[in-house]
Amino acid sequence: MAKSDVKVLGAWPSPFVMRPRIALNLKSVEYEFLEETVGSKSQLLLQSNPVYKKIPVLIHHGKPVCESLVIVQYIDEAWASGTPLLPSDPYDRAMARFWAAYIDDKWFPSLSAIAKAQGEEGKEAAIAQVAEGLALLDDAFAKCSKGKPFFGGDKIGYLDIALGCFLGWLKVTEKMTNLKLLDEMIAPNLVGWSERFCSHSAVKGLMPETHKLMEFAKMLQAKFKAPPS
Amino acid sequence: MAHEEVKLFGMWSSPFVRIVEVALKIKGVQYEYIEEDLQNKSSLLLKYNPVYKKVPVLLHNGKPIAESLVIVEYIDETWKDNPILPQDSFERAQARFWAKLIDDKCMPSLWRVFRSKDNEQEKATEEALENLKILENELTDKRFFGGETIGLVDIAAKITVYWVQVAQEVAGVGIISSQNFPVLFKWIDDLLSCNVLKETMPPKDKLAAFFRTHSKASK
């Protein structure tokens, strides 16, 4: 399959963009990565995702697929002969989908809330929420992995991708708050898992370096604090 | 098939529970329906959905599943007759995208209109109308999203519109009419011609009375 048959529209700092890229790597599918400029949206993006105008977008044979988790499931089904990303058992699939939705609907917003929190009390409450979520996810890991190294078992799967993409930003949050969130006390299983995930060949080249993300985060903060021109 | 125990924990006024019920009925699955009092949640509900403590929850052979869209996909994969999601992977992606849009954007924005105070209501209405326009534009020529037979997105959209029709009357706010959303409006007629949907929806007067009580309580 020609490389240009598969395109991913995205940007390097976005954890959501990492998801389809990891999935394509796991399936050994070559693709063209089209980097969006931060602060502006290309014509192609606006055409391909008119509803949300957001990255990532996967374009396969000219047809766009939007929403990162929808894209990952599409990749799993469109390249069904490659390594499966979702478990084969319907109940295990439901659990993977449930926790991935939890990560997007509850956990990641709670992580973003730390930076936006007002005052010490606000910050502490936000941090407590993230820690609570990590404890829940740690428990989910024990159930889903069934003693194996990843949520998906022996291999990285849908839920590993759903959570793992946030590890870079989690490290940034830890540095900015001077607190260890992914900690033995809070989430013992996830500590080992995160190291395995980040060093996996399908992930390694994609996970942004923490110091680069920090610079990017500071740039964003400055941008929002600057008076409107 | 050997006897399978299927239970659905729900609440009669929840549109999300109805989506799951319609899916079970389309598949011809025998199930026990357990009505929950959300002011007084049962210990079973709290046990089966500790994360959200909400309905719907499906229990299949003792194993619980929560979140309506997750449940519907499970139902589709477990009982293979009368598929609710398309077979083609690109069309499946589209169905998931639209179902999620209805769940994440449309429903919440509509609810905000009915719950918001006067000064916020204009902005909330604008947002809700924008979201409905997105749906309306996508529908145009099709009778069903999924093709020839009713699918997940049809179910979710129709149930949403049904709920909005009742809520808007109670709130005295016009959102959907045959003038501004002719396609969505026509869909409601199609809904009433679909037996499974017709028999699963709560009667409009009962739902309206429920909304009236609840809007009084929140004031």
Side-chain angles (χ1 to χ4, degrees), chain B residues 6 32 37 41 47 78 82-83 89 135 145 165 184-185 192 207 215:
Chain B
V6 182
E32 185 193 337
D37 175 3
K41 295 176 186 181
K47 175 179 156 190
T78 305
N82 304 326
S89 41
L135 266 188
F145 261 104
Q165 282 196 311
L184 280 177
F185 208 76
L192 294 177
L207 198 55
S215 60

Side-chain angles (χ1 to χ4, degrees), chain A residues 2-16:
Chain A
K3 198 170 164 177
S4 58
D5 279 348
V6 188
K7 298 188 221 272
V8 173
L9 300 186
W12 68 268
S14 162
F16 299 101

